[in-house]
Amino acid sequence: MSSTPPLFLVDALPKGDDFVLDGPEGRHAATVKRLRPGESLTVSDGVGGLAACVVDGPAGKDSLRLRVIGRTDVPAPQPRVVIAQALVKGDRGELAVELATEAGADAIVPWRASRCVAKWEDGPRGEKALARWRNTVREAAKQARRPWVPDVHDPVGTKGLVKLVDGTTGLVLEGSAKHGLTEISLPQQGDIVIVVGPEGGVSEEEIAALENAGAQTVRLGPSVLRASTAAAVALGAIGALTARWS
């Protein structure tokens, strides 16, 4: 059983001490979680704002009356970690962003790498796939009780990724890299962009383009990780190697 109250996302935090949680979040709290008077929950705006609340009672079939008992503004983590995640076929793409969100990613950029089997073409199918990633991230942030919900950007090709990496600490995960992540000097402020390739790996041409933009190629450890788990492992290491977890 979780030791922390469940978290629900709203567009804006209530300004007063009493408000009604309705809509999809209210339905989830009232009919799925079945929260009762006196039980605690947290409401977040997804950009650092938190309101600790207690259920006063039902406001309707699918809504709850809440009383605010405390407010907190949580600063964004530093350094900020952006995950450039290559498109992965099937449910593994959604697993990748779910795990990355739970591990603390601050933003996720879908990357159309040259060796991706999955293809997000422009149009309804691509928009549907992107919406699934965004919904997965939102639900994972709630599950992890995160006050900051990561942005999921529109997909980019390698040229767009090069622009993203330029001026940041770019780290391309590659199992055959000479240097490990623990050997790299990481900043305590600014952006770190973690580039996760597809199952077929990052091509030599892509590595060259990213290194020309200032990125470094690094390995995580002695084992070979799936494209769906690499970002989460990297985030854990960065959390321990920087002040993000302090």
Side-chain angles (χ1 to χ4, degrees):
M1 181 179 292
S2 173
S3 60
T4 57
L7 183 142
F8 299 89
L9 292 169
V10 294
D11 292 335
L13 292 181
K15 295 182 179 180
D17 293 335
D18 300 287
F19 79 108
V20 173
L21 181 65
D22 54 14
E25 294 293 79
R27 186 178 309 112
H28 188 232
T31 64
V32 178
K33 289 290 188 180
R34 297 187 179 183
L35 296 180
R36 297 293 181 258
E39 292 191 274
S40 299
L41 69 153
T42 303
V43 175
S44 174
D45 58 9
V47 288
L50 295 174
C53 302
V54 172
V55 177
D56 266 348
K61 181 181 178 182
D62 295 326
S63 58
L64 294 174
R65 288 185 292 105
L66 305 181
R67 177 166 43 89
V68 178
I69 59 174
R71 298 175 186 270
T72 309
D73 286 315
V74 180
Q78 284 291 335
R80 181 171 175 266
V81 180
V82 178
I83 302 297
Q85 174 69 53
L87 305 182
V88 185
K89 186 177 180 181
D91 295 339
R92 285 196 169 272
E94 290 163 46
L95 175 62
V97 297
E98 178 183 23
L99 295 177
T101 300
E102 292 178 2
D106 298 298
I108 295 172
V109 180
W111 175 33
R112 291 170 168 149
S114 63
R115 292 177 177 171
C116 286
V117 175
K119 303 294 182 184
W120 287 11
E121 305 298 341
D122 293 333
R125 291 186 65 182
E127 292 171 0
K128 185 176 180 180
L130 180 60
R132 284 199 299 269
W133 276 33
R134 286 174 171 161
N135 184 64
T136 297
V137 163
R138 179 182 173 87
E139 293 305 311
K142 289 168 57 178
Q143 177 66 33
R145 314 305 199 251
R146 288 193 57 182
W148 288 85
V149 177
D151 290 325
V152 181
H153 296 260
D154 291 338
V156 299
T158 299
K159 288 184 178 179
L161 181 56
V162 166
K163 291 180 181 179
L164 178 68
V165 166
D166 189 25
T168 72
T169 300
L171 302 175
V172 183
L173 302 185
E174 177 57 51
S176 61
K178 181 179 178 181
H179 297 289
L181 180 60
T182 56
E183 302 172 58
I184 302 299
S185 178
L186 297 173
Q188 297 300 315
Q189 298 287 326
D191 281 6
I192 298 174
V193 179
I194 302 293
V195 179
V196 181
E199 297 290 358
V202 183
S203 72
E204 293 181 2
E205 293 78 11
E206 289 166 334
I207 289 176
L210 291 165
E211 287 181 340
N212 286 338
Q216 302 176 75
T217 304
V218 298
R219 67 178 185 277
L220 285 178
S223 58
V224 177
L225 299 174
R226 299 293 298 262
S228 54
T229 55
V233 174
L235 281 157
I238 291 171
L241 294 171
T242 67
R244 283 175 60 86
W245 284 0
S246 63

